[in-house]
Amino acid sequence: MAQEVTQTLAKFAAALRYDDIPQSVRDHCKNLLLDALACAVSGRLGEETVQVAAFAAALAQSSESSVIGGEHLSLAGATLLNAYLVTATTMCDVHRETMTHVTPEVMPPALAIAERDGRSGRELLTAIAAGCEVTTRVGVGIDYPKFRARGWHGPGIFGPFGAAAAVGSLLKFDTDTMARAFGLAGSQAAGTFAAWGTPTVKFHQCRGALSGLMAALLAQQKFAATREFLSAKDGGLYNAYVDGGRPEAAVADLGTRWELEQIAVRLWPSASLIQGMVTALFDLLVKQKIEPSRVRKVRVGLSQPAFAMHGGFDTYKAKFEALLSAHYTAAVILHDRALTLAQFEPARYDDPKLRKFAAELVEVRADASVAGAQAVVDVETAGGAMASARCRHPLGSFENPLSRAQIEQKFRTYAQGVLRDADIAEAIGAVDRLEDFGSIRRLMDLLRAKPRAKTHTMAAAE
């Protein structure tokens, strides 16, 4: 390579301007932003949100930054809590090639700095594009199968780079400052799958957001840091986390092929790798009526990685394990013909009939005919009748995208009771016309809970 990969990505992020971004990429960035906001307003329902809110409030005593669906915290506290809110209910985005949630790391620090400095919607849109593209590009260069085999978890490792890129874009960094921000971001890159099955995997996301924010703000102070972190021979990301990685892939066609367009979003809560199963089940229910009482067996075929992560929750403890459980998710879809956060409340997942159905009638196996988030589902009913569906492209993927209307409805669904109806409508309109929107301070004002909509969960953030 003519230029070291860290500096190539830094140059890209520092030089990126709104006019450089194709319309399809702008539209996807808007979708990612609105989806992140939808997830954030749902985050009040997260089991651990009160704990994270209390922690975020303890970071500093200032109150200059807005909490989505809440009020104000410090710059660091709001970034941390907003990032957790986006990921709290397990229905945010995912870059499938690297199994990395991107928006929890990129959106909160970008929104916080844009609000603080009164940046425009156009500047925010450019920062989002820079942050999401850098996150996914760093991940593409890692050689993900080797990375995953060593137990690393992407959001807390790739995310700080994207967060730093987004903040650096808003702060108008030159290439040198952006490269130093990446060096500082890489020095905080961490997170492993030892945390799997616990909320700590979600903490990786919010810590990644805060790490990127700190990296950029420290670089702004001209703090000395390596400008070649990704490929440094002694301790660089690609050499320390894997055996050299694929740095050429991180910069291939940079600026002409946009990796961020591969970031998928979810219409439904539940884990990323079982979205294909969810899609197949709903496709099946559209075609025919299935009476749960007549089901003899549900057979679900997942890819080997999906099975390894989600095939072992035939019995589950509480909300987070229910969200990870292919068994429970299949059972509740067949019974309710719906999948929202209402299906992941204790009154529903603790229903003895559903627990019995999930444990005894849903069989989940690894299927060599599917890969990634793909799935095959067979439902056998009394009398031996069989209904089958296969999903190659889960709803929300690049090949089977959600419409803007579907994402808007997701936001409306979870913003109800948190934000005022007029503010919900105006926030949707603001994202739709983001490039022509004025100060992001107005958007963040719309996204704060007003006194009548305030919840006990968000009160802990004050």
Side-chain angles (χ1 to χ4, degrees), residues 285-297:
L285 291 175
V286 166
K287 296 174 185 176
Q288 63 187 91
K289 172 73 173 176
I290 296 175
E291 175 55 51
S293 64
R294 291 180 56 80
V295 171
R296 293 175 58 180
K297 184 67 74 173

Side-chain angles (χ1 to χ4, degrees), residues 10-355:
K11 181 178 180 180
F12 163 81
L16 186 65
R17 299 293 179 264
Y18 172 82
D19 290 339
D20 301 327
I21 307 170
Q23 187 60 51
S24 63
V25 176
R26 296 173 192 167
D27 289 342
H28 194 52
C29 287
K30 292 179 184 180
N31 287 344
L32 292 173
L33 174 60
L34 187 58
D35 185 75
L37 297 179
C39 294
V41 290
S42 80
R44 71 194 189 283
L45 300 174
E47 286 181 295
E48 317 83 20
T49 297
V50 171
Q51 296 165 299
V52 178
F55 168 56
L59 285 177
Q61 300 306 307
S62 59
S63 57
E64 67 272 20
S65 298
S66 297
V67 173
I68 299 166
E71 293 194 357
H72 287 91
L73 283 177
S74 66
L75 182 67
T79 295
L80 184 84
L81 181 54
N82 282 334
Y84 200 84
L85 291 173
V86 174
T87 192
T89 55
T90 315
M91 59 177 179
C92 64
D93 71 288
V94 65
H95 179 244
R96 293 199 189 279
E97 183 175 342
T98 59
M99 289 308 299
T100 294
H101 306 295
V102 176
T103 61
E105 300 96 273
V106 171
M107 302 298 178
L111 288 168
I113 293 298
E115 178 186 31
R116 187 196 71 175
D117 295 351
R119 298 298 189 187
S120 69
R122 183 168 296 212
E123 290 171 302
L124 176 63
L125 185 57
T126 304
I128 289 170
C132 291
E133 189 67 8
V134 166
T135 304
T136 55
R137 288 286 182 158
V138 171
V140 165
I142 199 75
D143 193 343
Y144 185 77
K146 291 181 179 179
F147 175 86
R148 176 64 185 88
R150 295 186 179 185
W152 297 113
H153 185 224
I157 294 172
F158 311 143
F161 293 93
V167 173
S169 174
L170 290 164
L171 297 178
K172 312 301 182 186
F173 282 1
D174 59 23
T175 297
D176 182 75
T177 308
M178 188 73 78
R180 285 188 285 107
F182 289 173
L184 289 159
S187 293
Q188 302 173 77
T192 76
F193 272 94
W196 181 245
T198 77
T200 302
V201 296
K202 294 185 284 186
F203 179 71
H204 294 168
Q205 278 88 275
C206 66
R207 199 268 311 149
L210 183 58
S211 293
L213 174 68
M214 292 192 297
L217 294 179
L218 195 52
Q220 187 183 31
Q221 299 303 315
K222 304 187 185 306
F223 192 87
T226 178
R227 299 167 179 81
E228 299 185 351
F229 186 90
L230 291 173
S231 62
K233 291 183 179 180
D234 187 6
L237 190 76
Y238 292 158
N239 286 311
Y241 290 64
V242 294
D243 298 324
R246 302 185 301 123
E248 68 285 351
V251 295
D253 303 318
L254 184 63
T256 58
R257 180 186 61 78
W258 290 79
E259 185 64 29
L260 70 80
E261 290 190 288
Q262 298 297 320
I263 300 174
V265 295
R266 287 180 262 188
L267 183 61
W268 308 290
S270 75
S272 298
L273 279 175
I274 60 174
Q275 292 294 301
M277 180 197 77
V278 175
T279 303
L281 281 165
F282 279 115
D283 286 348
L284 199 58
L285 291 175
V286 166
K287 296 174 185 176
Q288 63 187 91
K289 172 73 173 176
I290 296 175
E291 175 55 51
S293 64
R294 291 180 56 80
V295 171
R296 293 175 58 180
K297 184 67 74 173
V298 181
R299 297 181 178 87
V300 177
L302 302 176
S303 68
Q304 180 58 51
F307 173 74
M309 295 178 70
H310 303 290
F313 293 104
D314 51 332
T315 59
Y316 46 88
K317 293 177 183 176
K319 181 182 289 189
F320 188 46
E321 285 195 3
L323 285 160
L324 299 181
S325 172
H327 293 80
Y328 171 72
T329 304
V332 78
I333 289 172
L334 289 171
H335 281 79
D336 293 2
R337 300 178 69 88
L339 194 66
T340 69
L341 288 175
Q343 276 68 48
F344 293 97
E345 287 300 302
R348 198 69 191 110
Y349 64 69
D350 278 337
D351 183 325
K353 182 172 68 173
L354 273 177
R355 282 191 173 273

Side-chain angles (χ1 to χ4, degrees), residues 7 10 17 36 53 89 138 142 165 178 186 263 311 320 335 366-367 371 380 386 395 399 414 418 423 457:
Q7 295 185 46
R17 299 293 179 264
T89 55
V138 171
I142 199 75
M178 188 73 78
I263 300 174
F320 188 46
H335 281 79
D367 188 326
E380 182 183 350
M386 186 74 72
L395 185 62
E399 300 87 355
Y414 295 111
V418 182
D423 290 347
T457 298

Side-chain angles (χ1 to χ4, degrees), residues 354-379:
L354 273 177
R355 282 191 173 273
K356 181 178 175 67
F357 191 103
E360 298 180 5
L361 298 185
V362 180
E363 175 187 301
V364 182
R365 68 185 189 281
D367 188 326
S369 73
V370 295
Q374 296 175 344
V376 59
V377 175
D378 299 308
V379 180

